[in-house]
Amino acid sequence: MNFCSDNVAGIAPEILAALAAANRGAASAYGADEATARLERRLAEIFEHEVAVFPVATGTAANALALATAVPPWGVVYCHAEAHIVVDECGAPEFFSGGARMAGLAAPHGKISAAQLAPLLPGGKGIVHHMQPAAVSLTQATEAGTVYRPDEIAASGELARRHGLVFHVDGARFANALVGLAARPAEITWKAGIDILSFGATKNGAAAAEAVIFFDKARAADFEFRRKRGGHLFSKMRFLSVQLEAYLTDDLWLRNARHANAMASQLATGLAALPGIRLRHPVEANEIFVELPELLIEHLLGKGFQFYRWDGPCIRLVTAFDTEPSSVDAFLAAARGFIRPNASA
Amino acid sequence: MNFCSDNVAGIAPEILAALAAANRGAASAYGADEATARLERRLAEIFEHEVAVFPVATGTAANALALATAVPPWGVVYCHAEAHIVVDECGAPEFFSGGARMAGLAAPHGKISAAQLAPLLPGGKGIVHHMQPAAVSLTQATEAGTVYRPDEIAASGELARRHGLVFHVDGARFANALVGLAARPAEITWKAGIDILSFGATKNGAAAAEAVIFFDKARAADFEFRRKRGGHLFSKMRFLSVQLEAYLTDDLWLRNARHANAMASQLATGLAALPGIRLRHPVEANEIFVELPELLIEHLLGKGFQFYRWDGPCIRLVTAFDTEPSSVDAFLAAARGFIRPNASA
Amino acid sequence: MNFCSDNVAGIAPEILAALAAANRGAASAYGADEATARLERRLAEIFEHEVAVFPVATGTAANALALATAVPPWGVVYCHAEAHIVVDECGAPEFFSGGARMAGLAAPHGKISAAQLAPLLPGGKGIVHHMQPAAVSLTQATEAGTVYRPDEIAASGELARRHGLVFHVDGARFANALVGLAARPAEITWKAGIDILSFGATKNGAAAAEAVIFFDKARAADFEFRRKRGGHLFSKMRFLSVQLEAYLTDDLWLRNARHANAMASQLATGLAALPGIRLRHPVEANEIFVELPELLIEHLLGKGFQFYRWDGPCIRLVTAFDTEPSSVDAFLAAARGFIRPNASA
Amino acid sequence: MNFCSDNVAGIAPEILAALAAANRGAASAYGADEATARLERRLAEIFEHEVAVFPVATGTAANALALATAVPPWGVVYCHAEAHIVVDECGAPEFFSGGARMAGLAAPHGKISAAQLAPLLPGGKGIVHHMQPAAVSLTQATEAGTVYRPDEIAASGELARRHGLVFHVDGARFANALVGLAARPAEITWKAGIDILSFGATKNGAAAAEAVIFFDKARAADFEFRRKRGGHLFSKMRFLSVQLEAYLTDDLWLRNARHANAMASQLATGLAALPGIRLRHPVEANEIFVELPELLIEHLLGKGFQFYRWDGPCIRLVTAFDTEPSSVDAFLAAARGFIRPNASA
């Protein structure tokens, strides 16, 4: 039973079926196909706003291309110190932007705030010696498994607007955040000031499909050239687009995310009830950071459960669209059994 | 009936089936899965040589990452003036390498020769004012639909070795070349001096899968970092690797390529037999460049055949693994009918 | 006697005196000094147009920064195949632009023409697979020692404007061209459509000083950040600016250039009169490309004259602001003496 | 009286004289002159070690080129959060390296320590998701006006060596540090593990001259290409080299630095003796960070003294090789007069 990440999961059956269904006859290459056009229209409906949509295959590509479009090579992107763009992309945003700086800010529970950003701005704007403030990037859901509320996003959005910064969201787990908040997509994006969204699907059931969504089409002018020269323009684009289309059909994205979040909640609740176990962050999406006694960690690994050790006594558990309730039960039973060996089951 | 490109085709059924088959249970992410390991072993067998293998999703990514690993930012890559890396990648090799130069050389039938390269070398090597000769890149099959023979490759390979240049092949249509030559893979790669191969599968039946193959593992040291920061390291890597694995199973890659080449050959032979029609290049793989009267071009387009106009009277026809013989027949019949309206069928 | 290049010369006495004169007391750093402000006003007078002026220390920096400001990373710069930006800057324009392509065109006597550019445009503009036409760059005086006439420049300027390309001039030897043409600075720059000029002084008497001049200030918005992050913003900027100021005072730049051109003309005329000697290009500035018998080349080198061998029988002789007429006489005497050993002097 | 920076000063008379003296006859361009060769030999003597020396004109160029040679585009450079490479170069190291990250660490008095670095290492070395630890860069003297002692440098040097990191020093004020420590150059460079030194002269009397010094020549292999394509290879190189040569002749560099440091010490001592004034950092070189009452700051500015406000009540005063003792006296008198208006002088 593998709780390492939501990317150890496979493909949601509906998405696999869509790949097979799309495999009929010839289709124009490089995004000139019908599925890609339909996808853009569908996302415009979902977000209740005109959008420019660019499918890519990885979250790193989505973030790095989005940010490269948003900031100059001497730009500064304010984000959380643990953000994927800082820690987990081997410098992709720096590479695609030509040297921009990811200014990672430490903050509790993976969330930076407008209050924290405000004193950093305007941050040497116009002074030639300094890299220039250019963007704010939030991660939604965060790397700590928490979510930004609409008002929190809007506060940073207002600040970004006032200082002329582009406002980006890394939404690798956007669906998990959305269902966690019970919000409408518009509320936590353009209505809160978001300019560009990296809209993830891979972690929530796609094989490899993300979309970069611009709420201001004018900002997207360069994107196509950047995507192409980044090697991210797929010739057989339909097979990216139909993944996303299936993802958005019949609320698959929301159903998958609800399931993953429910599994995480159940796991967190069960663990938190045990003595000597402490949740490090609120569990608001599908990731759990929890501190356990070292002997218990070893016990669980010995039992064949897979997960990552974080720092010190903390481990990370991630649930996915396909996490079996029985796996959660088994994990909790193993933990309980270790802590209360004499209790009746 | 679409002869625009081999990338308007879909996925070979065997490869689609492999995607479905791989969709069972969890798998380690980012290439630590079993399918990726098997793929490397399989390619070592096929090439009869130790190899380092890196799956990516597009040919542009494969070429740009391969060349970036091979040359410094001030390096010169000698290649054909019509090479994909010069003309069709929007500067991806320049981007990934940090500014290297693609020195495109004009030459007949898409093929540069050792005789043409020799007088350009050593080319200012060591002189600080000049960009530095760093690599030779051939396209196999070429952009003109021709193929390099083993002795032709070896002659350039010997030159590259003597001048300390890395020798790369863009093999987006490698299988088409291979079956065209009836050669063994080793003969037209490492035995002829090739250091790095962009091994294509997408144009020959994969959804989106290529492999960068290093015949000298030492050269590959940086590749993983470049791939990751280029956004080309897939989390659910197994779904790239199994495409390639299926592609190499039961000679699917060779069977698909043989079919595409046979269709091209049949089309070329039929067209060449007609008066007023001239093949611009020998047809040695699955692309046909053919000069037609303008009225015939319009006639064929009007009949619903799809293909690209090249320059002047020349059009390009590309066949694929799934080209129907009946489509070829229909195309030829339409052409014949236009040219000899009174001939009995 | 050194005819290798105009950069083997030292500093014009007037410029050295200006450095000494500027060395009084403190001055604001990084261009906020008075000399830098005066320089911009002086250049506006000379060019009869509002200008934005940025002093830098090398011609390579001037060109690379100017072009980086003008074109996107996926831009194409059309220029002569022998242009300094293609051949002699080790890829600086590629580096500063983030990967743009220098499309070097072969053309006689170092000069590309509007007639040659026209069929290359619009050149795939808007097609995502292709790098995008973005600029035209002329070299004035050219690398062949010739000059573009105002009407020639204007023809390319009109073409550039029509296709939305930025029009740049590498004027490392701008003064030599100007006096060769007996034109006004405005005529061969903004009146002919030039947007950005790399205005050279180093080859004509400065220690190390060039200015990037924008005739449209709006284009210069990013320049300061690029210059700073390129390491080309001098703290003690006054010592760059006063070199340029002295260069422009009392027509020093024109006097120096007239002298260098006159020396070249005298040398060319003398050589052309000798049998077996052929000028490869018209001598219109301060460079002479001349084909000599090999034995004469060796004789001259043996006599201690310094110059570069070009290709085959061709050598390059460059004169400068400080070339002594006696050196020219000595060179001609040595050549004559070798060719006509028995003639009375 | 200007205490804004040591770069508001002019050129030391000995260096200006050297420029004039070097202005005799022709000299080979691009560093093939005799002065440049002599400079390398002289620096080898001074550092008691074989060195490769590359003159450039700005400290930003020196640092950015040095670091680009030392680290891959995905490298991490550990340094102080206030380092010039982080704060004052508009991203030059990111630009020249192709996207490396400056990991700025907060630490008191401008000095990072081995104890602070140790827990950060090996820092994800070999894990493809993370940028890779690649270098440590110290600033000597620091941006806080303090200096690293030999044992402090050696401790970080030992750590760098153990983890395979390149060890760089930004020595824009190297002479000020050296005389502050009364150390030999070797002790605070290669003997303490330093691989590359940005050796500054501009702030201590040159017009515009720095040298990048490699103590391991093998590391310098790429440098020439990077310098050229960065636009930092001067054609009339002798005029850079003789500035540095004069700087090192008859201990000019040490005499200038001793004077600047003495002026700073006198200023600091005088200020520290006044009530309500607090030195923020020890004054160990030629910079003073001192907290004053706001009204006193305004009084001093009103009297025509020039200096920068830092943060809050802190101002920065910088002395230089040409700071007049009378200026220091005047500053102190003005401060005393404001604080103790009724005291007899």
Side-chain angles (χ1 to χ4, degrees):
Chain A
M1 279 158 289
N2 194 322
F3 295 99
C4 283
S5 178
D6 30 14
N7 60 32
V8 303
I11 311 174
E14 298 88 339
I15 290 173
L16 189 59
L19 286 171
N23 196 30
R24 301 222 169 86
S28 291
Y30 299 114
D33 61 284
E34 291 168 21
T36 304
R38 286 193 309 263
L39 173 66
E40 187 166 291
R41 290 194 300 272
R42 183 74 187 103
L43 281 163
E45 285 169 24
I46 285 172
F47 283 94
E48 307 171 65
H49 199 277
E50 196 185 51
V51 290
V53 172
F54 302 92
V56 295
T58 71
T60 295
N63 286 336
L65 285 164
L67 291 172
T69 308
V71 309
W74 50 89
V76 175
V77 177
Y78 297 98
C79 56
H80 193 278
E82 303 298 322
H84 206 263
I85 58 174
V86 176
V87 174
D88 292 308
E89 302 186 350
C90 197
E94 286 88 342
F95 172 48
F96 279 84
S97 66
R101 180 174 293 167
M102 303 303 108
L105 310 173
H109 303 316
K111 291 165 66 173
I112 58 171
S113 67
Q116 182 177 23
L117 287 168
L120 303 176
L121 298 170
K125 201 145 197 176
I127 301 177
V128 74
H129 305 281
H130 305 323
M131 293 188 76
Q132 296 290 296
V136 174
S137 178
L138 305 183
T139 308
Q140 175 79 310
T142 73
E143 298 294 334
T146 56
V147 302
Y148 286 96
R149 296 190 317 268
D151 63 307
E152 291 172 329
I153 304 168
S156 290
E158 168 56 22
L159 197 66
R161 197 197 53 71
R162 194 156 67 241
H163 290 284
L165 310 183
V166 175
F167 196 14
H168 167 259
V169 164
D170 173 358
R173 295 186 178 95
F174 186 78
N176 301 91
L178 191 71
V179 303
L181 287 162
R184 294 181 74 83
E187 280 177 87
I188 60 168
T189 55
W190 63 271
K191 285 189 177 173
I194 301 295
D195 299 301
I196 316 176
L197 170 64
S198 298
F199 179 79
T202 309
K203 289 180 192 292
N204 194 30
E210 316 273 315
V212 179
I213 301 177
F214 289 81
F215 297 102
D216 175 357
K217 286 192 167 199
R219 272 194 204 293
D222 278 356
F223 192 91
E224 292 227 49
F225 295 105
R226 293 188 185 275
R227 179 174 60 172
K228 174 65 192 180
R229 102 196 210 96
H232 290 290
L233 179 63
F234 275 44
S235 55
K236 298 182 178 177
M237 178 77 89
R238 57 173 148 168
F239 297 114
L240 275 187
S241 296
V242 298
Q243 289 184 61
L244 290 159
E245 199 182 20
Y247 183 66
L248 298 169
T249 297
D250 295 336
D251 287 347
L252 176 63
W253 62 312
L254 304 177
R255 287 184 283 123
N256 277 359
R258 271 186 211 113
H259 177 79
N261 287 12
M263 290 296 97
S265 178
Q266 187 174 324
L267 201 45
T269 307
L271 288 169
L274 294 173
I277 291 189
R278 195 181 79 87
L279 293 176
R280 181 173 282 187
H281 306 300
V283 175
E284 300 174 349
N286 66 323
E287 293 191 288
I288 302 158
F289 294 83
V290 60
E291 300 176 5
L292 309 179
E294 176 60 23
L295 287 176
L296 174 53
I297 294 174
E298 286 165 19
H299 174 73
L300 292 164
L301 291 169
K303 288 277 184 188
F305 294 101
Q306 292 176 273
F307 50 81
Y308 282 116
R309 287 171 177 274
W310 225 240
D311 53 280
C314 186
I315 66 166
R316 186 185 76 162
L317 303 169
V318 190
T319 57
F321 76 94
D322 64 350
T323 300
E324 298 283 352
S326 60
S327 299
V328 171
D329 293 342
F331 190 92
L332 289 174
R336 278 188 208 110
F338 182 81
I339 287 178
R340 299 167 174 163
N342 303 321
S344 58
Chain B
M1 278 158 289
N2 194 321
F3 295 99
C4 283
S5 179
D6 30 15
N7 60 33
V8 302
I11 311 174
E14 298 88 339
I15 290 173
L16 189 59
L19 286 172
N23 196 29
R24 300 220 170 86
S28 290
Y30 298 114
D33 61 284
E34 290 168 21
T36 303
R38 287 193 309 264
L39 173 65
E40 188 166 290
R41 290 195 300 270
R42 182 76 187 101
L43 281 162
E45 284 169 23
I46 285 172
F47 282 94
E48 307 172 64
H49 199 279
E50 195 184 52
V51 290
V53 172
F54 301 92
V56 295
T58 72
T60 295
N63 286 336
L65 285 165
L67 291 172
T69 307
V71 310
W74 49 90
V76 175
V77 177
Y78 297 98
C79 55
H80 193 276
E82 301 299 323
H84 206 263
I85 57 174
V86 176
V87 175
D88 292 308
E89 301 186 350
C90 197
E94 286 88 342
F95 173 47
F96 279 84
S97 65
R101 181 174 292 167
M102 303 303 107
L105 309 173
H109 303 316
K111 291 164 66 173
I112 59 171
S113 68
Q116 182 177 23
L117 288 168
L120 303 175
L121 298 171
K125 200 143 196 176
I127 300 177
V128 73
H129 304 283
H130 305 323
M131 292 187 77
Q132 297 291 297
V136 174
S137 177
L138 305 183
T139 309
Q140 175 80 308
T142 75
E143 297 294 333
T146 56
V147 301
Y148 286 97
R149 296 191 316 268
D151 62 309
E152 291 172 329
I153 304 167
S156 289
E158 167 55 23
L159 198 66
R161 198 197 52 70
R162 193 155 68 241
H163 290 284
L165 310 183
V166 175
F167 195 15
H168 167 258
V169 164
D170 173 358
R173 294 186 179 96
F174 185 78
N176 301 92
L178 191 70
V179 302
L181 288 162
R184 294 180 73 83
E187 279 178 88
I188 60 168
T189 54
W190 62 271
K191 285 189 178 173
I194 300 295
D195 298 302
I196 315 177
L197 170 64
S198 297
F199 179 80
T202 309
K203 289 180 192 293
N204 194 31
E210 317 273 315
V212 180
I213 300 177
F214 289 82
F215 297 103
D216 175 357
K217 287 193 167 197
R219 274 195 202 291
D222 278 356
F223 192 91
E224 292 227 49
F225 295 104
R226 293 188 185 276
R227 178 173 61 171
K228 173 65 193 180
R229 99 196 212 96
H232 290 289
L233 178 62
F234 275 44
S235 55
K236 298 182 178 177
M237 178 78 89
R238 58 173 149 167
F239 297 114
L240 276 187
S241 296
V242 297
Q243 289 183 61
L244 291 159
E245 198 181 22
Y247 183 66
L248 297 169
T249 298
D250 295 335
D251 287 347
L252 177 63
W253 63 311
L254 304 177
R255 288 184 282 123
N256 277 359
R258 271 187 211 111
H259 176 79
N261 286 13
M263 291 297 97
S265 177
Q266 187 175 321
L267 201 46
T269 306
L271 288 169
L274 295 173
I277 292 188
R278 196 181 78 86
L279 293 176
R280 180 171 283 186
H281 306 300
V283 175
E284 301 174 349
N286 66 322
E287 292 192 288
I288 302 158
F289 293 83
V290 60
E291 299 176 5
L292 310 179
E294 175 61 20
L295 288 176
L296 175 52
I297 294 174
E298 287 166 17
H299 174 73
L300 292 164
L301 291 169
K303 288 278 184 189
F305 294 103
Q306 293 176 271
F307 49 81
Y308 283 114
R309 287 171 177 275
W310 225 239
D311 53 280
C314 187
I315 66 166
R316 186 185 76 162
L317 303 168
V318 189
T319 55
F321 75 95
D322 64 350
T323 300
E324 298 282 352
S326 61
S327 299
V328 171
D329 292 342
F331 191 93
L332 289 174
R336 279 189 208 110
F338 182 83
I339 287 179
R340 300 167 171 161
N342 303 320
S344 59
Chain C
M1 277 158 290
N2 194 321
F3 294 99
C4 283
S5 178
D6 31 13
N7 60 33
V8 302
I11 311 174
E14 298 87 340
I15 290 173
L16 189 60
L19 286 173
N23 195 30
R24 301 222 168 85
S28 290
Y30 298 114
D33 61 284
E34 291 169 20
T36 304
R38 286 193 310 262
L39 173 66
E40 187 165 289
R41 291 195 299 271
R42 182 75 187 101
L43 281 163
E45 285 170 22
I46 285 172
F47 281 93
E48 307 172 63
H49 199 279
E50 196 184 51
V51 288
V53 172
F54 302 93
V56 295
T58 72
T60 295
N63 287 336
L65 284 165
L67 291 171
T69 307
V71 309
W74 49 89
V76 175
V77 177
Y78 297 99
C79 55
H80 192 277
E82 302 298 324
H84 205 265
I85 58 174
V86 177
V87 175
D88 292 308
E89 302 187 348
C90 197
E94 286 88 342
F95 173 48
F96 278 84
S97 65
R101 181 174 293 167
M102 303 303 108
L105 310 173
H109 304 316
K111 291 165 67 174
I112 59 171
S113 67
Q116 182 178 22
L117 287 169
L120 303 176
L121 298 171
K125 200 144 196 175
I127 301 177
V128 74
H129 305 282
H130 305 323
M131 292 187 78
Q132 297 292 296
V136 175
S137 177
L138 305 183
T139 308
Q140 176 79 312
T142 74
E143 298 294 333
T146 56
V147 302
Y148 287 96
R149 294 190 318 267
D151 64 307
E152 292 172 328
I153 304 168
S156 289
E158 168 55 21
L159 198 66
R161 197 197 53 71
R162 194 155 68 242
H163 290 285
L165 309 183
V166 175
F167 196 15
H168 167 257
V169 165
D170 173 358
R173 294 187 179 95
F174 185 78
N176 301 93
L178 190 71
V179 303
L181 287 162
R184 293 180 74 84
E187 279 178 86
I188 60 169
T189 55
W190 62 271
K191 286 190 177 173
I194 301 294
D195 298 302
I196 316 177
L197 170 64
S198 297
F199 179 79
T202 308
K203 289 181 192 293
N204 194 31
E210 315 274 313
V212 179
I213 300 176
F214 289 80
F215 297 104
D216 175 358
K217 287 192 167 197
R219 274 195 200 292
D222 279 355
F223 193 91
E224 292 226 49
F225 295 105
R226 293 188 185 275
R227 179 172 61 171
K228 173 65 193 182
R229 103 196 209 96
H232 290 289
L233 179 62
F234 276 45
S235 55
K236 298 181 178 177
M237 178 77 90
R238 58 173 149 169
F239 298 114
L240 276 187
S241 295
V242 298
Q243 290 183 60
L244 291 159
E245 197 181 23
Y247 183 66
L248 298 169
T249 297
D250 295 336
D251 286 347
L252 176 64
W253 63 311
L254 304 178
R255 288 185 282 124
N256 277 359
R258 271 187 211 111
H259 176 78
N261 287 13
M263 291 297 97
S265 177
Q266 188 175 321
L267 201 46
T269 306
L271 288 169
L274 294 173
I277 292 188
R278 196 182 78 87
L279 293 175
R280 180 173 283 186
H281 306 299
V283 175
E284 299 173 350
N286 65 321
E287 292 192 288
I288 302 158
F289 293 83
V290 59
E291 299 175 5
L292 310 178
E294 176 62 21
L295 287 175
L296 175 52
I297 293 175
E298 286 166 17
H299 174 73
L300 291 165
L301 290 169
K303 287 278 184 186
F305 294 102
Q306 291 176 272
F307 49 82
Y308 282 115
R309 286 171 177 275
W310 225 240
D311 53 279
C314 186
I315 66 167
R316 186 185 77 163
L317 303 168
V318 189
T319 56
F321 75 95
D322 64 349
T323 299
E324 297 282 352
S326 61
S327 299
V328 171
D329 292 342
F331 190 93
L332 289 174
R336 279 189 208 109
F338 181 81
I339 288 179
R340 300 168 171 160
N342 302 319
S344 58
Chain D
M1 278 159 288
N2 193 321
F3 295 99
C4 282
S5 178
D6 30 14
N7 60 31
V8 302
I11 311 174
E14 297 87 340
I15 290 173
L16 189 60
L19 286 172
N23 195 30
R24 301 223 167 84
S28 291
Y30 297 113
D33 61 284
E34 290 169 20
T36 304
R38 286 195 309 263
L39 173 65
E40 188 166 289
R41 291 195 299 271
R42 182 77 186 98
L43 280 164
E45 284 169 23
I46 285 171
F47 282 94
E48 307 172 65
H49 199 278
E50 197 184 49
V51 289
V53 172
F54 302 92
V56 295
T58 71
T60 295
N63 286 336
L65 285 165
L67 291 172
T69 307
V71 310
W74 49 88
V76 175
V77 177
Y78 296 99
C79 55
H80 192 277
E82 302 298 324
H84 205 264
I85 58 175
V86 176
V87 175
D88 292 308
E89 301 186 349
C90 197
E94 285 88 343
F95 173 46
F96 279 84
S97 65
R101 181 174 292 167
M102 303 302 109
L105 310 174
H109 304 318
K111 291 165 67 173
I112 58 172
S113 67
Q116 182 178 23
L117 288 168
L120 303 175
L121 299 172
K125 201 143 198 176
I127 300 177
V128 74
H129 304 281
H130 306 323
M131 294 187 75
Q132 297 290 296
V136 174
S137 178
L138 305 184
T139 308
Q140 175 79 312
T142 74
E143 298 294 333
T146 56
V147 301
Y148 286 96
R149 294 190 319 266
D151 63 308
E152 291 172 328
I153 305 167
S156 289
E158 167 56 22
L159 198 66
R161 197 196 54 70
R162 193 155 69 241
H163 290 284
L165 310 183
V166 176
F167 196 15
H168 166 257
V169 165
D170 173 358
R173 295 188 178 95
F174 186 78
N176 301 93
L178 190 71
V179 303
L181 287 163
R184 294 180 74 83
E187 279 178 86
I188 60 169
T189 56
W190 62 271
K191 284 190 177 172
I194 300 295
D195 298 302
I196 316 177
L197 170 65
S198 297
F199 179 79
T202 308
K203 289 180 191 293
N204 193 30
E210 316 273 314
V212 179
I213 300 176
F214 289 80
F215 297 104
D216 175 358
K217 286 192 167 197
R219 274 195 200 292
D222 278 356
F223 193 91
E224 291 226 48
F225 294 104
R226 293 188 185 275
R227 179 173 61 172
K228 172 67 193 181
R229 103 196 210 95
H232 289 290
L233 179 62
F234 276 45
S235 56
K236 298 182 177 176
M237 178 78 89
R238 57 173 148 169
F239 298 115
L240 276 187
S241 296
V242 298
Q243 289 183 61
L244 291 159
E245 197 181 20
Y247 183 66
L248 298 169
T249 297
D250 295 337
D251 287 346
L252 175 64
W253 63 312
L254 304 177
R255 287 184 284 122
N256 278 359
R258 270 187 211 113
H259 176 78
N261 287 13
M263 291 295 97
S265 177
Q266 186 175 325
L267 202 45
T269 306
L271 288 169
L274 294 174
I277 293 188
R278 195 181 79 86
L279 294 176
R280 180 172 283 186
H281 305 300
V283 175
E284 300 173 349
N286 65 322
E287 292 191 289
I288 301 159
F289 293 83
V290 59
E291 299 176 6
L292 310 179
E294 176 61 23
L295 287 175
L296 174 52
I297 294 174
E298 286 167 17
H299 174 73
L300 291 165
L301 291 169
K303 288 278 184 187
F305 294 102
Q306 292 177 271
F307 49 82
Y308 282 115
R309 285 171 178 275
W310 225 240
D311 55 280
C314 186
I315 66 167
R316 185 185 78 162
L317 303 168
V318 190
T319 56
F321 75 95
D322 64 350
T323 300
E324 297 283 352
S326 60
S327 299
V328 171
D329 292 342
F331 190 92
L332 289 174
R336 278 188 208 112
F338 181 82
I339 288 179
R340 301 170 171 159
N342 302 320
S344 57

